[in-house]
Amino acid sequence: GGGRRIALLAAAAGVAAVVGVAATSGLAGLRPAGDAQPKLRRFPEGSIQGAYQHHHLDDELDDEDAPTWVQGGDFASSAPPMDIDYDYHYEGWGTNYDHIPDPEFCAGMCQGVEKCKAYTWVKDAGLDGCPSQCWLKGGVGYKKKKKGVVSGVPPPRQTLVEVPKIKAKEAGSLYCFALMVPGGYEQGLLQWQHDHSAGIFGCDGYGVYSNKPVEISTTVVAKVVNSTLKCGYGGDSNSALNSWIFIAVWDKVIDTADYKKHDWVVKVDPDAVFFPDRLKVRLQPYYPPGDFNGPALYVANCDRTWNGAPPELKLFGSLEIFSRNALGMYRVHKNECKKYLPWKGWGEDLFISECMKMMKVGVVNGVDFLGDQRCHYAPCWDQSKVAFHAFKDIPSWMDCWGQSHPQVVVNFK
């Protein structure tokens, strides 16, 4: 409830809170393998020691070899001093995540899990795609030289006492909505966000859509979309192939017509940590508040490329932003987009962005709006970002919010 004190902790399940610093260029060069999120495997108590011995890492460090990692070499480090090419042998609690690109990311994941007191990052764990692995541990144990690993302890954890109210009025009003799969983690995330006026519930208007009339609160019930909300995954970024689902969602948003009262329409994934006040400030130069004849615009938020494709601005679906008149143009021309675009094997974000291009809607370069590990990662304390993705449980969502909250002093030393 709203009166509970919020402690910034993160559960070991799902994606841990990622609050360490990582190089944007480093993450941008990685292609996820398998699931869109890092894979998690759990091991019973006492099994952490030696669990990754089969990766054939040299037990003894050759002094003539270059170190596995140079802390602070390419970018400022947020973590305490790391033990490069040392393993921490600990008997007790432990868990691991696959496809974690660097030890800074691993340190941030450890920071987001209350039980984690130490971590070991394995550079090459023999995995497909990004081969690296992050082990979270309940303690340091004893140290032993091992080539190819980096160990350390997490940065200090922060505490968030309350969620702030939206104060910024520098730009036009926002209508924000989320699509929710009922009964899973998304429902709990949205209920918590509503109770604390956070995320989409800090916007001037908001809505939740689902395939069932799920109650988020006594005043918010999900608007029903005629869809199973089930889809496959694929493509270069292993995105949801969900165009047909969101075509139905956008139809419902248009039919409901709540968006017409506002200047901007914002679709936010439930697991994105979103700051509407920051978005208002960033949008201010592009659209006069209250102007019903304002420009038709959408915001592109990624410039990453795959498989040698030429650079271009694209839209990632964790945060989608359209001016009211851009959505009005979609309402008029959506059937043409469905007729002429080969959208049936696409993700929704690709469909809606290609439709915007087809309609000659103007594009705003918002690459620096979003921190999303599928495109360009950003640490949660980066207050220049409008949103961070993805945080799939309440504790990690809270943790990221607290790291990014301007009234919380975040001291990484």
Side-chain angles (χ1 to χ4, degrees), residues 97-288:
Y97 292 85
D98 295 341
H99 312 301
I100 303 305
D102 59 56
E104 291 286 347
F105 205 148
C106 188
M109 297 181 76
C110 184
Q111 184 191 38
V113 178
E114 185 181 16
K115 294 175 68 174
C116 185
K117 308 302 181 186
Y119 63 89
T120 295
W121 178 75
V122 183
K123 183 176 181 179
D124 186 355
L127 306 172
D128 293 334
C130 173
S132 304
Q133 195 173 58
C134 176
W135 289 78
L136 308 185
K137 305 178 180 183
V140 172
Y142 69 92
K143 303 177 183 180
K144 183 179 180 181
K145 287 184 178 181
K146 179 178 284 290
K147 185 64 177 174
V149 303
V150 177
S151 300
V153 297
R157 297 181 175 95
Q158 308 298 317
T159 300
L160 172 63
V161 177
E162 63 178 322
V163 173
K165 301 296 182 183
I166 300 302
K167 297 179 180 179
K169 300 294 183 183
E170 288 88 349
S173 62
L174 307 178
Y175 175 74
C176 306
F177 74 92
L179 175 67
M180 178 194 71
V181 177
Y185 72 91
E186 294 178 340
Q187 183 174 335
L189 278 173
L190 288 172
Q191 288 171 335
W192 185 92
Q193 291 169 36
H194 177 271
D195 289 345
H196 298 85
S197 300
I200 66 170
F201 302 103
C203 297
D204 303 283
Y206 50 79
V208 176
Y209 296 80
S210 187
N211 62 343
K212 295 180 181 179
V214 178
E215 185 177 282
I216 302 300
S217 72
T218 55
T219 59
V220 179
V221 177
K223 299 174 176 64
V224 176
V225 177
N226 185 21
S227 171
T228 63
L229 306 187
K230 295 180 179 180
C231 67
Y233 291 81
D236 289 322
S237 60
N238 200 43
S239 300
L241 306 179
N242 57 0
S243 287
W244 62 276
I245 295 175
F246 271 93
I247 287 174
V249 174
W250 283 113
D251 285 348
K252 187 69 175 182
V253 170
I254 290 168
D255 291 344
T256 305
D258 291 338
Y259 78 94
K260 292 183 177 180
K261 305 172 186 176
H262 303 280
D263 299 304
W264 295 91
V265 185
V266 186
K267 192 221 89 176
V268 185
D269 281 358
D271 57 359
V273 179
F274 170 53
F275 296 86
D277 53 340
R278 297 180 191 173
L279 179 58
K280 283 190 171 189
V281 175
R282 300 299 291 273
L283 294 177
Q284 191 276 335
Y286 302 105
Y287 198 101

Side-chain angles (χ1 to χ4, degrees), residues 251 330-340 358:
D251 285 348
Y330 174 78
R331 178 180 60 84
V332 173
H333 297 288
K334 61 182 180 179
N335 289 333
E336 297 170 40
C337 292
K338 287 188 283 186
K339 180 177 179 180
Y340 294 110
M358 183 174 149

Side-chain angles (χ1 to χ4, degrees), residues 16-27:
V18 181
V19 293
V21 181
T24 297
S25 60
L27 278 170

